[in-house]
Amino acid sequence: MEVKLAIFYYSSTGTNYQLAQWAEAAAKEAGAEVRVRKVKELAPEEAIAQNPAWHQHYQATKDVPEAELEDLEWADGYIFSVPTRFGNVPAQVKQFIDTAGGLWAEGKLVDKVVSAMTSAQNPHGGQEATILNLYTTMFHWGSIIVGPGYTDPVTFAAGGNPYGISVSVDQDGNMVEDVEAAVKHQAKRTVEVTKKIVTG
Ligand SMILES: Cc1cc2nc3c(=O)[nH]c(=O)nc-3n(C[C@H](O)[C@H](O)[C@H](O)COP(=O)(O)O)c2cc1C
């Protein structure tokens, strides 16, 4: 059966957009109907303009649809791809999450399947913490959390984060580890578990 997957990402300089696109490709191949949704930028234009990479990515992704509460309601499962901000999710993503109180109160977020990915400048700069901090909220939602674990050897090759695939970026914003296969495995696994949840 076809399940509905929403991939929510926030990205200043493109890394998490790329992770989201790899996840999209794999989820579609696994038979999901997929929406990729950009979490709304909240930083002032002046701040964005001061960082050429941020400005370039902001302009290049202007046409990507923004995440709406309706996407949370629509999807059977979610993948979040968000960069580390001091070991936590970006404020933009927290703001989006915090608008979901109404859906939460109506019980509409219960049993949504959730998986998360991240990036950070440093391998030990908070990648695991960021994903776990996001998952903390998901427990409040009654979500079914699906990490990659070590369900496929590709996780080891990508740095071995069982909570969610994570990647380091160098000073120029390039990904250090090759995580494409691991991201695709995580997305496929999320779709497969979502199918099991939806069909009971
Ligand atoms: C305000 C801020 C806080 C950050 N905090 C961390 C951090 O705690 N650890 C780390 O390794 N990198 C940190 N970074 C680097 C970002 O995680 C990195 O730029 C991001 O993962 C790149 O993803 P993107 O290209 O999708 O924006 C921080 C960056 C900013 C702007």
Side-chain angles (χ1 to χ4, degrees):
M1 77 165 293
E2 192 176 69
V3 293
K4 292 176 274 191
L5 184 80
I7 301 174
F8 298 107
Y9 80 94
Y10 172 79
S11 187
S12 296
T13 53
T15 312
N16 285 274
Y17 184 46
Q18 177 64 78
L19 300 185
Q21 287 177 306
W22 285 333
E24 177 189 20
K28 283 182 172 167
E29 204 177 309
E33 185 182 350
V34 183
R35 289 183 184 178
V36 175
R37 295 293 183 261
K38 171 182 70 181
V39 174
K40 185 182 171 70
E41 183 57 86
L42 301 176
E45 298 262 355
E46 311 87 75
I48 297 168
Q50 284 171 9
N51 179 332
W54 192 359
H55 181 71
Q56 192 276 333
H57 179 70
Y58 180 68
Q59 294 297 336
T61 54
K62 270 213 169 313
D63 293 338
V64 178
E66 287 184 345
E68 306 280 353
L69 291 178
E70 192 270 328
D71 299 314
L72 286 170
E73 198 171 350
W74 170 83
D76 304 305
Y78 314 141
I79 291 177
F80 284 87
S81 190
V82 304
T84 291
R85 293 282 184 266
F86 306 127
N88 216 316
V89 299
Q92 291 85 345
V93 176
K94 189 65 167 61
Q95 168 69 9
F96 175 60
I97 285 172
D98 287 354
T99 61
L103 289 177
W104 168 82
E106 293 173 56
K108 290 188 171 165
L109 301 174
V110 172
D111 289 349
K112 301 288 189 179
V113 173
V114 177
S115 200
M117 313 184 291
T118 191
S119 66
Q121 187 133 27
N122 309 281
H124 301 289
Q127 301 184 3
E128 295 174 14
T130 299
I131 289 173
L132 292 173
N133 283 325
L134 181 74
Y135 287 162
T136 297
T137 299
M138 298 303 133
F139 281 111
H140 289 247
W141 286 7
S143 307
I144 312 291
I145 293 168
V146 179
Y150 296 104
T151 52
D152 191 287
V154 290
T155 306
F156 296 106
N161 187 343
Y163 307 104
I165 297 307
S166 57
V167 66
S168 314
V169 290
D170 66 19
Q171 297 285 353
D172 298 321
N174 301 309
M175 293 192 216
V176 176
E177 301 89 9
D178 181 359
V179 297
E180 179 176 351
V183 165
K184 288 184 170 175
H185 169 66
Q186 183 175 349
K188 182 168 169 257
R189 175 170 157 75
T190 305
V191 171
E192 284 168 356
V193 174
T194 305
K195 283 181 189 172
K196 289 180 186 172
I197 296 294
V198 168
T199 56

